[in-house]
Amino acid sequence: MRYVVSASQRVKTYRIFLFPIMRMTLLYMLLATIMTACGSTGTSTTSDTSSSDTATQKVSNVFDGDGAYALTRQQCEFGPRVPGTSSHAQCADWLMTTLRTSCDTVMMQTGTVQTATEGKLNIKNIIGVINPQASQRLLLLAHWDTRPWADNDPDESNHRKPVMGANDGASGVGVLLQLASQLKSTGTTLGVDIVLVDAEDMGIDDNEESWGLGTQYWVQHPHVKDYKPLFGILLDMVGASDATFTREYYSTQYASGFADLVWKCAAGSHFSNAQGGAVTDDHVFINRAGIPCVDIIDMRSDSPTGFCPVWHTTSDTMDSIDPATLAQVGQTLLNVIAELEK
């Protein structure tokens, strides 16, 4: 992903995403009902301890942050998951096997994309479907590949080394794998589609289209014809101990009601109602395709990159991952699902 502009620098967006008016009207009528259940003030922040406790109690299932941590670590044990490497292929097989234990349908979508610097690249998007017969569906995404170059590393000799991607990739995948496992145990009436996208992190500066290549491919070739979920939630860099999840700009502009729902159901002090900056991430291409999508991503107003210090460095290892942060993100997803089931 690429940091586009900070909240303080933001003037206007350079894209307009158009959604069918009738469909969005129905969606927001449904949202109004759901939001009433979550809470209607819209002014309190989730850093308040009492609101965090209330959110956690909304579901009978408490998210297992330690389980998500273990699943994050298992991905890193394969090494950097750079597309085209043996580590990438081995992790893909493991992801398929893991999803089969909790999803009704699991598929691998293969294709070829054009990168900005490496030519054509074969990719593998991995998809797990829960309750395929359900008409009301929630899309959950994370990218599972890692960046081939640690080009933000303070040591220039590391710039051509691959990134381990414990936070930038594996953390979001770990949360979604653990979520699927818990939904298998507790059951859900909601249809849930988990899409682990490839080749997100092959991008270069000043070329928006070079990011999110796996997502762009999936948008053009959805796993279900005419796929239209209620909305989507993207997880990216959700494992740092000092993570800050502000409201990402494109999420609030093009999926504002759904962003409200997610933040009202947020489960911990890492979530803030403050407006964050704009990020070119997988959700941009999802929104562009007409599916409202919200990005839960760690952004830092005090960072020169806009992200956590280990972003695109060789230090993005398991040392930067905190199970407690993973638990807050996973609990937030469980709370959202519980509200959609009502």
Side-chain angles (χ1 to χ4, degrees):
M1 74 299 301
R2 179 173 67 95
Y3 198 75
V4 178
V5 64
S6 69
S8 60
Q9 296 169 323
R10 183 169 41 79
V11 178
K12 65 179 181 179
T13 183
Y14 57 90
R15 286 194 184 276
I16 298 177
F17 303 143
L18 299 177
F19 304 111
I21 295 175
M22 181 176 295
R23 179 168 180 266
M24 292 306 293
T25 300
L26 292 173
L27 290 180
Y28 282 105
M29 288 175 63
L30 176 60
L31 263 181
T33 302
I34 295 171
M35 294 289 288
T36 301
C38 284
S40 59
T41 63
T43 57
S44 63
T45 65
T46 54
S47 60
D48 180 77
T49 302
S50 60
S51 64
S52 172
D53 292 343
T54 301
T56 302
Q57 293 170 5
K58 287 177 182 175
V59 293
S60 59
N61 190 14
V62 176
F63 189 82
D64 182 0
D66 290 331
Y69 180 90
L71 290 163
T72 302
R73 184 184 64 243
Q74 285 181 267
Q75 294 169 74
C76 292
E77 288 175 352
F78 291 104
R81 283 81 62 208
V82 176
T85 64
S86 59
S87 296
H88 182 268
Q90 292 167 11
C91 187
D93 292 340
W94 175 79
L95 290 170
M96 291 285 289
T97 299
T98 303
L99 282 174
R100 286 191 185 106
T101 65
S102 54
C103 295
D104 297 301
T105 304
V106 178
M107 63 193 80
M108 179 182 291
Q109 180 184 64
T110 59
T112 303
V113 297
Q114 182 70 42
T115 69
T117 60
E118 308 299 313
K120 291 185 177 180
L121 183 70
N122 294 325
I123 64 164
K124 299 177 179 179
N125 291 333
I126 298 169
I127 302 162
V129 179
I130 298 172
N131 290 346
Q133 75 287 349
S135 59
Q136 182 168 284
R137 311 202 63 79
L138 174 66
L139 171 65
L140 300 175
L141 307 100
H143 77 89
W144 71 277
D145 64 299
T146 55
R147 189 163 177 80
W149 328 282
D151 47 348
N152 192 52
D153 199 284
D155 183 350
E156 290 188 9
S157 67
N158 289 332
H159 284 190
R160 299 305 298 177
K161 295 179 180 179
V163 176
M164 179 60 74
N167 193 32
D168 193 359
S171 63
V173 173
V175 169
L176 295 185
L177 293 177
Q178 179 62 35
L179 179 77
S181 177
Q182 293 189 217
L183 291 178
K184 175 70 173 179
S185 298
T186 62
T188 178
T189 59
L190 189 69
V192 179
D193 300 296
I194 295 173
V195 180
L196 307 180
V197 290
D198 200 359
E200 185 276 336
D201 233 344
M202 300 290 294
I204 59 174
D205 288 342
D206 302 321
N207 185 347
E208 182 188 51
E209 305 302 316
S210 65
W211 302 89
L213 298 179
T215 294
Q216 293 187 60
Y217 185 90
W218 176 82
V219 163
Q220 295 168 0
H221 308 89
H223 64 285
V224 174
K225 185 179 179 181
D226 300 323
Y227 179 67
K228 290 294 181 183
L230 180 60
F231 72 107
I233 302 175
L234 171 66
L235 303 184
D236 203 348
M237 297 194 294
V238 294
S241 60
D242 56 347
T244 301
F245 304 124
T246 52
R247 292 173 176 246
E248 191 276 332
Y249 175 67
Y250 294 133
S251 303
T252 57
Q253 289 298 302
Y254 307 115
S256 60
F258 300 106
D260 288 344
L261 170 62
V262 171
W263 260 258
K264 284 181 179 294
C265 291
S269 59
H270 289 296
F271 286 83
S272 166
N273 271 324
Q275 179 62 60
V279 180
T280 297
D281 205 349
D282 293 302
H283 72 304
V284 169
F285 307 104
I286 302 291
N287 277 302
R288 186 189 297 176
I291 299 173
C293 191
V294 177
D295 195 2
I296 299 178
I297 184 169
D298 182 4
M299 293 184 289
R300 312 290 181 92
S301 60
D302 58 350
S303 167
T305 66
F307 299 125
C308 57
V310 303
W311 176 71
H312 291 182
T313 73
T314 57
S315 297
D316 187 1
T317 64
M318 288 302 296
D319 291 339
S320 66
I321 303 300
D322 186 351
T325 307
L326 300 175
Q328 288 190 19
V329 175
Q331 191 66 52
T332 298
L333 296 184
L334 285 176
N335 290 346
V336 169
I337 290 171
E339 294 300 337
L340 293 175
E341 289 176 327
K342 291 181 178 178

